[in-house]
Amino acid sequence: MKTQWAPTKLEGWGRYPRHSAWVARPERMKDVENALSERDGHPVLAYGLGRSYGDAALIKDGRVVLTQRLNRMLDFDPETGWLRVESGVSLKEIIDTFLPRGFFPPVVPGTQFVTVGGALGCNIHGKNHHVDGCWGDHVRRVELLVASGDIVICDREREPELFWATVGGMGMTGVILSLEVKLERVESPGILMESVRVNNLDEFFEVSADSADFTHTVSWVDCVKQGASMGRGIFMRGRHAPADVQTGASPLDALASFAQRILNVRDLESNLWLNKATIKLFNEAYFRKTPAGTTSSSVHYVPFFFPLDAVDNWNYLYGSRGFLQYQMVVPEKDAVREILEVISNSGMASFLAVIKEFGDRDHGGLSFPSRGTTLALDFPNFGTPLLDMMERLDDIVIASGGRVYLGKDARLSKAKFRQMYPEWEKWKAVRDEWDPNYIFQSELGRRLGLVGGAK
């Protein structure tokens, strides 16, 4: 059957920017091959569940292959945990199917609504990066539809350069059709968790250093506070619970229960909800609800790993203007302090802000995680003042030898990207070898000079 292309407008999770494109919804991997050959000369890009924030999965006036219907689980070895799936399978589908059998994905981000193809394209990280690395560390035998129309199997042993260019390659090496991922054995859906209230940035680093025995760590940070309280927050650390542990009523469970009663933020869309005053009130309440010191609890995995998934379409909380997330990693602690000072002095408060120390694994290329401290901050789209502030943050990140996360980005300049990702030319050489005519493109790739013949 000939590919049916339909016009539509697409956006990332931040709802900025938005672009028109022609989309197809293939049912089978063979349909994806047909779509590539029937693109009428237009560039092509795959689009999963739309959870990259900026323009990584957008292509203006191009051809977009929606992968949600490529959601078949193809094979599973219960002895080793290796699972072979099509690229449109979501982490939620894997968890729902395999957690009752004692398995869990090896790495999960802050939402379970991402596809395995998107997870590899962004080389996602989670709360356990300091122990288990990234998604790409647990993947083999990637089936990739490349520009020639051939299907290439790649991993560490087969076409390794193509494999590592695809890991974190933001979908610009081809369409991922399937992959194998090794699931982790777990005994229960519970998490043994400790919450530690930290009063400033120095305490965060002290608690983080004392938490190396925990497999999962992350901290919420209050970006409104200045002076001696700058960097205060709630440090959360945990590990998968043994079989005999029951999950109880923890602050995270209570918060998830409250959020579920909101149901769907799309019905409440407004530019008025989030401003400095409301964010300051929320931060004060959230900080005070956790007792001083250390609190131990056993919680269900959903509020621990995916607290925002309880609210449908929470991104609409930012209104029609959308929002931008700034996530960076810097090796120097002083740079984190400098970034927090710029933000707290700007008057542009971040509603959602998390901080974590990464481990040593760095895959190079366009892959984001590297040794240092990562800070992720969501800002309502304030327009030029916000973009100007992010330019200042870019300069601090570059001076520290850090980088921003391309899976969250919507506005980084080509010049600054090249300073943050010094291996970009090596990555592009591999990409261009497999796609010399720039069939696979994205708005992010065009903006950063990675596709389309840009120099």
Side-chain angles (χ1 to χ4, degrees):
M1 180 182 295
K2 187 174 176 58
T3 303
Q4 300 296 312
W5 297 102
T8 191
K9 185 166 286 186
L10 291 174
E11 59 190 22
W13 190 244
R15 306 183 66 211
Y16 170 84
R18 297 160 186 157
H19 290 295
S20 297
W22 292 74
V23 304
R25 298 179 185 274
E27 299 279 349
R28 303 278 177 179
M29 289 193 277
K30 183 64 179 177
D31 299 334
V32 182
E33 296 180 62
N34 294 338
L36 181 65
S37 64
E38 296 167 1
R39 67 186 188 280
D40 297 327
H42 293 278
V44 176
L45 186 66
Y47 185 102
L49 290 172
R51 290 300 179 116
S52 57
Y53 280 49
D55 55 1
L58 305 181
I59 179 171
K60 185 178 180 182
D61 299 326
R63 296 292 187 263
V64 176
V65 176
L66 306 179
T67 62
Q68 298 98 316
R69 292 180 181 172
L70 300 176
N71 60 352
R72 296 167 187 82
M73 301 191 191
L74 305 172
D75 193 22
F76 180 64
D77 183 347
E79 296 298 318
T80 63
W82 281 104
L83 170 67
R84 182 173 174 238
V85 290
E86 292 183 338
S87 62
V89 170
S90 72
L91 298 189
K92 184 178 190 309
E93 290 170 323
I94 291 177
I95 294 170
D96 288 348
T97 303
F98 289 98
L99 182 56
R101 301 170 67 176
F103 292 92
F104 200 80
V107 173
V108 294
T111 175
Q112 55 190 328
F113 298 112
V114 298
T115 65
V116 298
L120 190 66
C122 290
N123 198 21
I124 60 169
H125 57 273
K127 297 176 176 64
N128 58 340
H129 180 270
H130 61 291
V131 176
D132 296 314
C134 303
W135 183 258
D137 288 308
H138 308 273
V139 169
R140 70 182 185 188
R141 200 181 185 282
V142 177
E143 271 191 296
L144 188 70
L145 178 62
V146 297
S148 64
D150 296 327
I151 296 175
V152 177
I153 307 296
C154 62
D155 54 26
R156 290 163 186 76
E157 285 74 40
R158 294 164 286 192
E159 303 292 356
E161 288 189 333
L162 178 61
F163 173 73
W164 287 115
T166 301
V167 175
M170 310 307 295
M172 290 182 280
T173 59
V175 178
I176 299 168
L177 298 176
S178 74
L179 57 78
E180 292 185 4
V181 57
K182 188 171 186 178
L183 303 184
E184 174 189 9
R185 291 186 184 276
V186 297
E187 296 181 17
S188 80
I191 301 290
L192 295 179
M193 171 184 165
E194 290 186 358
S195 301
V196 186
R197 204 164 86 176
V198 296
N199 294 303
N200 51 50
L201 191 59
D202 288 336
E203 285 191 19
F204 161 78
F205 284 118
E206 290 171 7
V207 174
S208 182
D210 289 339
S211 303
D213 290 342
F214 289 84
T215 55
H216 296 76
T217 64
V218 73
S219 181
W220 167 80
V221 59
D222 182 353
C223 287
V224 177
K225 281 294 179 181
Q226 298 174 300
S229 297
M230 188 179 71
R232 75 173 188 176
I234 310 297
F235 193 101
M236 289 161 280
R237 55 195 185 190
R239 57 176 66 91
H240 287 285
D244 57 348
V245 170
Q246 299 296 314
T247 59
S250 73
L252 276 180
D253 290 311
L255 185 63
S257 178
F258 170 77
Q260 285 169 342
R261 290 197 290 272
I262 298 176
L263 296 180
N264 193 338
V265 173
R266 195 164 188 163
D267 299 329
L268 305 174
E269 180 184 14
S270 171
N271 290 348
L272 302 176
W273 287 112
L274 296 180
N275 52 61
K276 187 173 183 180
T278 58
I279 292 172
K280 188 175 181 180
L281 284 172
F282 170 84
N283 286 2
E284 191 65 32
Y286 189 68
F287 181 76
R288 297 295 173 190
K289 80 172 182 61
T290 300
T294 301
T295 305
S296 299
S297 58
S298 55
V299 301
H300 192 264
Y301 74 89
V302 170
F304 182 78
F305 287 119
F306 317 117
L308 289 174
D309 283 353
V311 182
D312 290 340
N313 298 306
W314 64 261
N315 54 334
Y316 278 73
L317 198 61
Y318 292 90
S320 58
R321 61 190 168 178
F323 72 100
L324 289 85
Q325 183 172 105
Y326 193 89
Q327 181 168 5
M328 55 74 192
V329 58
V330 288
E332 304 295 336
K333 295 177 181 177
D334 286 345
V336 178
R337 195 179 310 279
E338 192 175 354
I339 286 170
L340 286 175
E341 287 175 348
V342 170
I343 294 169
S344 60
N345 291 334
S346 73
M348 288 180 284
S350 171
F351 176 53
L352 298 172
V354 295
I355 185 171
K356 173 182 168 52
E357 288 193 278
F358 280 150
D360 292 332
R361 295 197 206 183
D362 183 342
H363 293 143
L366 304 188
S367 190
F368 168 66
S370 64
R371 186 188 65 81
T373 307
T374 183
L375 185 60
L377 310 121
D378 288 355
F379 296 95
N381 185 4
F382 295 119
T384 300
L386 176 64
L387 298 176
D388 289 346
M389 184 190 73
M390 289 183 169
E391 288 276 339
R392 293 180 60 197
L393 299 182
D394 289 343
D395 292 336
I396 298 170
V397 171
I398 290 170
S400 178
R403 61 184 68 148
V404 301
Y405 189 9
L406 300 181
K408 304 287 183 66
D409 179 58
R411 45 91 246 164
L412 181 66
S413 72
K414 180 170 63 178
K416 291 186 175 180
F417 158 75
R418 290 180 175 182
Q419 294 178 73
M420 293 178 183
Y421 287 86
E423 294 187 17
W424 71 270
E425 285 184 288
K426 180 180 177 182
W427 176 89
K428 189 173 186 300
V430 176
R431 199 218 77 89
D432 290 354
E433 179 182 348
W434 288 91
D435 183 11
N437 297 314
Y438 302 107
I439 290 173
F440 297 107
Q441 298 190 24
S442 67
E443 288 305 305
L444 178 138
R446 290 169 171 172
R447 174 164 52 82
L448 301 182
L450 295 170
V451 294
K455 301 297 184 185

